[in-house]
């Protein structure tokens, strides 16, 4: 038994106001694990609420869903974990509802209210940016002890990428284009490459192009070169087998449709865009060209497991995606850094 009772955690009280609050930890249930947090990264959704771009999220928000830490204590029914182990966190799931039974844990009945669900003490969110966090063991995934905590906190975003890649049914040797070299674009490119695909990524910001290049990806600078022409050249005029849209804008949708191969092409809608992007496609084209337009969002248990496996085996290099680290006491500075143009993940460390 641990004697941890209280925890400090970050709360978004209003737009551009993040404060540290203290709460008593709820009692550990039989299927739950107490985790000493190592790092919590600021996701686009989080800083979107901070800037006011995502008005659908409510205050006070005990934000944070990209985090990882060490097991401190556990309930009697917890299986497969040990005290002292480093774990990454997926989504809460009951393990019993009709969705969980099919493996669709991202559709679990517990997830209904999403990030707006309210705790007994009146906070929205999942308390990911806390010194100590309690999670059901079903939401945890083993990582390696030597991992940097800010990198370990990538289990959630990498999990969402693994769902998309699973739905795309990539086969080794496929030529895959990723549009956009932000955090999610780079992650998509690295996971597709880990699956044995030949990957090209398009981007216009110099800083992101440099990171993509340093990671050994084929890079097209769209400020200098037309991406559709570049992809046609790269594929000897055939077009890409698959395109992953890691930016949510109409122009990217148009490019994807123009750069895929003639038959059996697949396009993955990975990113959301605000305002909602348009898709200009004639359904006859999808029919005659046997094209697949695939949607993906969030991650199921098997996707988090795959993400943790790729991370443990060091099949993806996350080091370049940690932009900066700030201690919990400087969480407001962390948000200011997270919204700078071209920033990768900013990490709050404990
Ligand atoms: Zn996220
Ligand atoms: Zn469930």
């Amino acid at each position: 038994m641990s004697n941890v009772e209280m925890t400090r955690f970050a709360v978004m009280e209003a737009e551009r106001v993040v404060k540290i609050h203290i709460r008593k930890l709820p009692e550990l249930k039989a299927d739950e694990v107490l985790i000493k947090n190592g790092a919590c990264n600021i996701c686009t959704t989080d800083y979107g609420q901070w800037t006011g771009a995502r008005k659908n999220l409510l205050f006070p928000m005990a934000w944070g869903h990209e985090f990882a830490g060490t097991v401190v204590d556990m309930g009697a029914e917890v299986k497969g974990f040990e005290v002292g182990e480093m774990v990454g966190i997926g989504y809460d799931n009951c393990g019993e509802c009709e969705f969980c039974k099919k493996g669709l844990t991202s559709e679990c009945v517990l997830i209904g209210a999403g990030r707006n669900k309210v705790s007994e003490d009146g906070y929205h969110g999942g308390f990911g940016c806390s010194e100590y966090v309690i999670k059901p063991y079903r939401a945890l995934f083993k990582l390696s002890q030597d991992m940097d905590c800010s990198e370990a906190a990538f289990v959630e975003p990498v999990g969402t990428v693994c769902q998309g890649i699973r739905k795309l049914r990539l086969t080794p040797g496929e030529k895959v284009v990723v549009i956009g070299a932000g955090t999610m674009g780079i992650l998509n490119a690295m996971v597709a490459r880990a699956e044995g695909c030949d990957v090209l990524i398009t981007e216009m910001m110099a800083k992101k192009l440099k990171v993509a290049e340093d990671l050994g990806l084929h890079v097209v600078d769209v400020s200098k070169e037309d991406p559709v022409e570049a992809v046609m050249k790269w594929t000897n005029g055939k077009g890409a087998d698959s395109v992953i849209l890691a930016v949510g804008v109409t122009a990217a949708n148009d490019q994807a449709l123009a750069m895929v191969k003639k038959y059996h092409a697949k396009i993955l809608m990975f990113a959301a865009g605000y305002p909602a992007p348009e898709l200009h496609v004639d359904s006859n084209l999808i029919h005659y060209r046997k094209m697949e337009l695939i949607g993906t969002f969030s991650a199921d248990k098997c996707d988090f497991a795959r993400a943790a496996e790729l991370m443990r085996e060091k099949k993806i290099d996350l080091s370049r995606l940690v932009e900066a680290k700030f201690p919990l006491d400087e969480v407001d500075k962390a948000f200011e850094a997270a919204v700078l143009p071209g920033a990768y993940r900013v990490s709050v460390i404990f």
Side-chain angles (χ1 to χ4, degrees):
M1 282 292 285
S2 83
N3 45 18
V4 182
E5 282 182 6
M6 309 295 284
T7 186
R8 300 195 315 142
F9 62 108
V11 178
M12 237 182 281
E13 294 180 348
E15 279 172 29
R16 294 184 187 266
V17 184
V18 195
K19 292 273 164 67
I20 313 258
H21 288 203
I22 297 176
R23 79 195 286 245
K24 193 172 174 343
L25 282 164
E27 200 155 328
L28 201 61
K29 296 194 191 109
D31 66 341
E32 288 179 335
V33 176
L34 174 67
I35 299 150
K36 184 176 185 336
N37 210 348
C40 176
N41 296 346
I42 301 178
C43 169
T44 319
T45 319
D46 303 318
Y47 71 70
Q49 181 177 13
W50 187 81
T51 59
R54 302 217 176 175
K55 303 268 186 218
N56 57 319
L57 297 169
L58 305 174
F59 299 106
M61 176 62 78
W63 63 277
H65 58 274
E66 300 186 1
F67 61 103
T70 318
V71 174
V72 173
D73 197 3
M74 58 181 87
E77 286 169 19
V78 173
K79 285 175 265 194
F81 292 96
E82 283 167 44
V83 169
E85 217 170 18
M86 166 94 85
V87 289
I89 286 86
Y91 304 141
D92 289 4
N93 62 90
C94 73
E96 283 164 8
C97 71
E98 58 170 311
F99 305 102
C100 282
K101 280 186 182 147
K102 288 184 204 152
L104 301 169
T105 50
S106 64
E107 290 155 40
C108 173
V109 292
L110 290 181
I111 293 181
R115 301 211 169 114
N116 283 331
K117 71 170 187 279
V118 195
S119 67
E120 274 175 20
D121 45 357
Y123 294 98
H124 301 283
F127 296 92
C129 194
S130 303
E131 286 173 328
Y132 290 89
V133 196
I134 291 176
K135 287 283 159 190
Y137 76 93
R138 289 176 299 276
L140 306 184
F141 298 86
K142 281 174 193 279
L143 296 171
S144 26
Q145 294 305 111
D146 62 346
M147 216 177 255
D148 171 80
C149 288
S150 302
E151 292 182 32
F154 274 79
V155 163
E156 192 269 348
V158 176
T160 66
V161 168
C162 289
Q163 181 185 84
I165 298 287
R166 173 166 63 87
K167 295 192 76 181
L168 255 183
R169 311 179 312 280
L170 293 178
T171 47
E174 261 189 53
K175 286 197 177 285
V176 179
V177 175
V178 178
I179 300 184
T183 304
M184 301 316 297
I186 297 275
L187 289 177
N188 267 287
M190 287 197 291
V191 175
R193 187 169 61 180
E195 299 296 341
C197 298
D198 199 1
V199 184
L200 178 147
I201 192 161
T202 72
E203 174 57 48
M204 63 174 122
M205 199 181 275
K207 176 195 165 180
K208 293 180 181 176
L209 285 162
K210 169 88 172 58
V211 169
E213 220 163 56
D214 289 351
L215 289 167
L217 297 161
H218 295 277
V219 168
V220 170
D221 177 352
V222 300
S223 71
K224 297 202 179 104
E225 211 178 339
D226 177 76
V228 176
E229 277 172 28
V231 168
M232 286 303 164
K233 205 160 50 175
W234 180 59
T235 55
N236 298 319
K238 291 193 192 123
D241 296 305
S242 295
V243 175
I244 298 171
L245 283 154
V247 288
V249 294
T250 305
N253 290 348
D254 291 342
Q255 285 167 16
L257 288 161
M259 64 172 57
V260 288
K261 65 182 178 183
K262 189 166 182 194
Y263 295 115
H264 301 288
K266 294 169 285 181
I267 297 177
L268 182 70
M269 309 292 173
F270 184 86
Y274 296 87
E278 282 169 35
L279 185 64
H280 307 126
V281 64
D282 167 351
S283 63
N284 280 345
L285 204 90
I286 300 174
H287 167 77
Y288 287 120
R289 290 174 57 185
K290 299 170 255 191
M291 194 188 283
E292 290 181 64
L293 305 180
I294 301 170
T296 190
F297 170 62
S298 123
D300 293 311
K301 195 164 188 155
C302 64
D303 305 311
F304 290 124
R306 177 69 181 140
E309 181 180 56
L310 287 168
M311 289 165 66
R312 283 195 309 267
E313 293 174 357
K314 304 198 184 340
K315 295 249 171 76
I316 53 176
D317 176 3
L318 299 165
S319 61
R320 299 298 302 274
L321 298 180
V322 180
E323 183 74 37
K325 298 179 184 182
F326 292 88
L328 178 63
D329 286 315
E330 293 176 20
V331 65
D332 44 352
K333 284 191 194 145
F335 270 88
E336 278 156 29
V339 298
L340 294 176
Y344 287 106
R345 285 295 193 264
V346 171
S347 190
V348 178
I349 52 171
F350 299 90

